[in-house]
Amino acid sequence: MIPKKVIFLFALRVSFRKINKEYCNLSNSKKMKHIAIIMGGYSSEYKISLTSGNVVYKNLDSTQYKGYRIHIFKEKWVYVDDKEAEFPIDRNDFSVTVNGTKIKFDAVFNAIHGTPGEDGLLQAYFELIGLPQTSCDYYQAALTFNKRDLLSVLKPYGIKTATSFYLNKGDKFTTHQIVEKVGLPCFVKPNKSGSSFGISKVKTEAELPEAIEIAYKEDNEIIIESFLDGTEVSVGVINFQGTITVLPITEIVSENDFFDYEAKYLGKSQEITPARISAEMAQKVSAIAKKAYEVLKMKGFSRSEFIIVNNEPHMLEMNTIPGLTNESLIPQQAREAGISLTELFSNAIELALA
């Protein structure tokens, strides 16, 4: 028979181990997490991405995360410290060595607009090396970055779009063919580009060739869309604390012909949140934006653009790495919903880590 004293000491030892394990788990959960904030990229949007990335860096919760600004360009991948010193990234495991100390990251906050951060290239890379990141998966990124493919996938779900004409560089066409299908005025856009780079509003058939050449400077695929005369709105959808959440809708009123680069970033537009549309229409647009998010099995941020014509929302595109500058739409919509930038960014990181 085992003495009671031995049984007591054994039970005490087991309890102590359990308490110690729980304490270690608690300590580890509160340990400062190292977050790589990637910014820059290979496209014309790199300057906007640098601004977005720096906003994320400045608004990270410093009690939970240590942020590292990682500049990704074709010629270099580097960590840039607060003194602007640069340290090369080891692409084998996406780590960096600073003054003899190797730093490995717990997660990546993706703030790269355009390639390679928004088109699936980096998402696939991070999945291969097992590093969590805040944006959608690589397939969804590649699909949504391609306007033509995105709209084709969503059409069977009853999501309306503009009438379109597609061109690949080298295709033979006549301007008459284009006008016959989409009418005038129309929009000529790079198929895979953002921030309105390379977009032209064409009012006469004679303007088409030049507009097409401008678009080809950004991409080798072009989408030409019919003009939709209606109310333009932007709808943010995020997973917030485990629930797919549609943010307050923003109405876009551009001083220019359309919501171009000047209108987006140089103050040439009114961005009215919440949008001046009826409650019924707001519910309708929100439901479509949420449906698209769910159908595509999205993660992270999405911002979808619609034009409402005759009480029917028509989708233009979906952005999966939307602007995160103080003037950008997702931050505006989050503020309207009572979500601070710090909460918004912390939520994205925690979902990635989970």
Side-chain angles (χ1 to χ4, degrees), residues 166-322:
Y166 304 116
L167 283 175
N168 294 323
K169 198 160 191 176
D171 284 352
K172 298 200 178 298
F173 66 93
T174 67
T175 54
H176 176 71
Q177 285 177 306
I178 296 170
V179 172
E180 191 173 41
K181 183 169 185 184
V182 303
L184 290 169
C186 63
F187 285 96
V188 179
K189 305 176 180 180
N191 190 41
K192 304 185 296 293
S193 181
S195 296
S196 297
F197 285 108
I199 297 182
S200 302
K201 183 177 181 180
V202 172
K203 298 175 183 176
T204 68
E205 187 174 337
E207 294 171 2
L208 269 170
E210 183 182 1
I212 288 168
E213 286 308 309
I214 290 171
Y216 275 143
K217 289 178 182 177
E218 296 293 329
D219 188 21
N220 60 5
E221 299 175 2
I222 287 176
I223 180 170
I224 304 171
E225 293 181 328
S226 60
F227 172 64
L228 297 174
D229 190 8
T231 302
E232 184 169 357
V233 295
S234 183
V235 191
V237 183
I238 61 174
N239 183 331
F240 189 69
Q241 298 177 353
T243 301
I244 296 174
T245 303
V246 181
L247 296 172
I249 299 168
T250 299
E251 179 183 352
I252 308 297
V253 183
S254 177
E255 294 177 18
N256 297 343
D257 266 351
F258 62 98
F259 196 41
D260 60 5
Y261 183 90
E262 282 191 337
K264 285 181 178 177
Y265 301 109
L266 302 179
K268 295 284 187 178
S269 68
Q270 293 181 63
E271 296 163 3
I272 303 162
T273 310
R276 299 170 301 180
I277 55 179
S278 68
E280 292 77 14
M281 181 53 64
Q283 187 175 15
K284 188 172 187 176
V285 178
S286 296
I288 294 171
K290 185 178 181 183
K291 182 178 183 179
Y293 191 98
E294 292 173 332
V295 161
L296 298 175
K297 297 181 173 62
M298 286 292 299
K299 297 176 183 175
F301 301 103
S302 86
R303 196 193 73 226
S304 298
E305 317 300 331
F306 295 88
I307 293 182
I308 302 167
V309 182
N310 298 325
N311 291 319
E312 288 293 341
H314 292 65
M315 180 180 272
L316 301 179
E317 62 181 358
M318 179 188 286
N319 300 283
T320 59
I321 312 288

Side-chain angles (χ1 to χ4, degrees), residues 58-76:
K58 290 173 184 174
N59 286 277
L60 275 191
D61 182 349
S62 59
T63 66
Q64 295 189 70
Y65 313 113
K66 178 169 175 54
Y68 296 81
R69 295 180 300 163
I70 310 297
H71 288 191
I72 291 185
F73 298 108
K74 284 183 178 178
E75 66 276 10
K76 62 182 179 182

